[in-house]
Amino acid sequence: MADLEHYEYAIIGGGKGGKTLAVALATAGHKTVLVERDKIGGSCIRVACIPSKTMVRSAQVMALITDAFKYGIDATPPVVLMDKVMARKRDVVEEMTSANWEQFKRSGMDFILGTAKFIAEKTFEVASYEQTRTIKANKIFIGTGSRPFIPKIYDNVKPLTSEALMNIAYVPDSLLVVGGGYIGLEFAQMFQRFGSEVILIERGEQLLAREDYDVSDAVRKAIEEDGIDVLLNTQVLEASRNGVEVELKIQTTKGERTISGAQVLVATGRIPNTEALNLKAAGIDTDERGFIKVNDMLETSAKDIWALGDVNGGPQFTHISLDDFRIVFANLNGGNRSRKDRAVPYTIFIEPELARVGINEKEAIQSKKPFRLAYVPMSVIPAAKTRGQTEGFMKAIIDKENSQVLGIAFFCAEAAEIMAVVQVAMQARLPYTFLRDNVFAHPTLAEGLNMLFAENNIHEYSPELAALSHA
Ligand SMILES: Cc1cc2nc3c(=O)[nH]c(=O)nc-3n(C[C@H](O)[C@H](O)[C@H](O)COP(=O)(O)OP(=O)(O)OC[C@H]3O[C@@H](n4cnc5c(N)ncnc54)[C@H](O)[C@@H]3O)c2cc1C
């Protein structure tokens, strides 16, 4: 065994929560080491949110130019230069990665590039290119993230993951996307806009399984209007290669058939990066899927070891990994924070955007508490008209007893930005009337909140209304 190196704090995994914690602890003067097996930055910057949203933006520009005539502009039919799209993405990623590295250096932390594996209580080895080091720390934080889950049936076809699809230097003629969750949707629309023929396959009866049916149905219609072929209730039975094409044998409600495409993206969920860690050696329990079990303060079953981000089985978002950092850091400094009852907003970056926070209509019904439902189509909102973005709607659940907003689903242009306004009001426990009567600049999309919460757009919940919106 290599010489034992002692640290006050060790962080394994340089994702959002892990790296932020390492910088904060080191900056505060603690002897801290961050261990990362891959490049600096974590998934968000390198292979997930940032590169995908950078490419989504290119696809949006493509769609806007394609639609230019609607705005009175005669633009030459646009051409996608995939190498330039990739170069722009690389620049954004590299700029953010360099900024991270500068922060790491300024903080005074030790950074080790290598894969961590526990060998005993609070002790792990780091295997790196040149050597193996052994680290013991008073307190350890695991933030090793997650990776795509690829079912075995794809073993012979080398399907693309989201990461691989963001590195192909061309637009495939056709793309099969398996999985109607947010990653599948974002890539389906992106590549359809770049010029691929896209088929989206979802085994469930709706896209975005957790959303209200009317919301998911609106999403389906919007992407179908874009030209994406959406197959619901469809199971992939077999995957094979036929020359350069991938063939999928699928089971639909109308029977079996085979579809083919130049590439296939499998976006059917993510699994935790925990096997390599040898967690048992440190007494850290995992659940049946391999996620590290934590309590609401993110403490694992082993004393003085915490887990942050995707790996602890919480909602898989960068802002949640960051909030996990806030919880741990506050508690190390004498606080008493927990993840219980925190807001979990999220956005699906398609056009129109879908932004969600709080409970939805399904959950409101299950709660059996009386509620009211606010709904306004974007077509009546002045800024939506001026922008030519009248697709979609805003929907909100209101607590009938105290008039607070319990949840929203905004499916419209700039949905995520408008959501932030409502989220703050929700967290401040303001009644919906605050938003209804607030002065927002005209004409903005946020001004639509005045209309969403106007009395004529608020309905008492009734099973008939629910049936209507689910029709
Ligand atoms: C295509 C895509 C798009 C996404 N878009 C969004 C979005 O728009 N908004 C959003 O909020 N979320 C988005 N997400 C989810 C988001 O990226 C993740 O929730 C987030 O990055 C998780 O952060 P984390 O800190 O848990 O771990 P990660 O950022 O995954 O970091 C974990 C790090 O640990 C390292 N590691 C793993 N094992 C070891 C080991 N044994 N030793 C040392 N290091 C190790 C890994 O190399 C990795 O760098 C997206 C995900 C994908 C795939």
Side-chain angles (χ1 to χ4, degrees), residues 5 7 9-15 18-19 22-23 26 31-42 46 97 100-115 124 126 128 130-131 133 135:
E5 300 175 54
Y7 282 90
Y9 297 111
I11 293 100
I12 303 174
K19 69 187 176 188
V23 168
K31 190 176 181 210
T32 306
V33 61
L34 172 62
V35 181
E36 166 55 54
R37 72 174 174 194
D38 206 338
K39 298 184 190 95
I40 290 163
R46 292 187 301 103
T97 308
N100 270 196
W101 181 232
E102 290 306 318
Q103 263 186 328
F104 288 9
K105 285 195 291 189
R106 268 200 309 275
S107 74
M109 72 162 84
D110 284 345
F111 178 76
I112 304 178
L113 198 58
T115 302
F124 59 88
V126 187
S128 67
E130 323 92 43
Q131 56 173 332
R133 292 165 71 169
I135 311 268

Side-chain angles (χ1 to χ4, degrees), residues 75-188:
T76 315
V79 177
V80 179
L81 305 172
M82 211 54 184
D83 54 335
K84 298 274 190 293
V85 171
M86 294 293 170
R88 175 172 175 271
K89 178 207 73 175
R90 257 194 319 273
D91 287 349
V92 174
V93 169
E94 273 165 23
E95 192 191 323
M96 293 182 73
T97 308
S98 309
N100 270 196
W101 181 232
E102 290 306 318
Q103 263 186 328
F104 288 9
K105 285 195 291 189
R106 268 200 309 275
S107 74
M109 72 162 84
D110 284 345
F111 178 76
I112 304 178
L113 198 58
T115 302
K117 178 184 170 198
F118 283 96
I119 52 170
E121 220 178 78
K122 292 203 243 176
T123 309
F124 59 88
E125 280 181 354
V126 187
S128 67
Y129 185 60
E130 323 92 43
Q131 56 173 332
T132 296
R133 292 165 71 169
T134 307
I135 311 268
K136 188 168 175 89
N138 299 349
K139 296 187 194 307
I140 298 179
F141 307 87
I142 305 169
T144 48
S146 62
R147 64 182 187 280
F149 167 66
I150 310 284
K152 281 220 151 311
I153 50 168
Y154 299 99
D155 277 0
N156 296 327
V157 296
K158 292 206 177 72
L160 296 175
T161 59
S162 49
E163 181 177 350
L165 188 52
M166 286 191 281
N167 285 311
I168 60 170
Y170 64 97
V171 178
D173 291 342
S174 49
L175 178 67
L176 309 174
V177 177
V178 185
Y182 81 91
I183 294 177
L185 279 166
E186 288 181 3
F187 281 92

Side-chain angles (χ1 to χ4, degrees), residues 15-16 36-37 43 48 53 116 143 182 270 310 316-318 321:
K16 188 68 187 178
E36 166 55 54
R37 72 174 174 194
S43 305
K53 265 34 99 176
Y182 81 91
R270 295 178 67 82
D310 285 9
Q316 295 179 358
F317 300 111
T318 294
S321 180

Side-chain angles (χ1 to χ4, degrees), residues 61-77:
V61 170
M62 181 74 188
L64 187 62
I65 299 172
T66 307
D67 224 13
F69 206 72
K70 168 175 142 185
Y71 295 92
I73 311 290
D74 189 0
T76 315

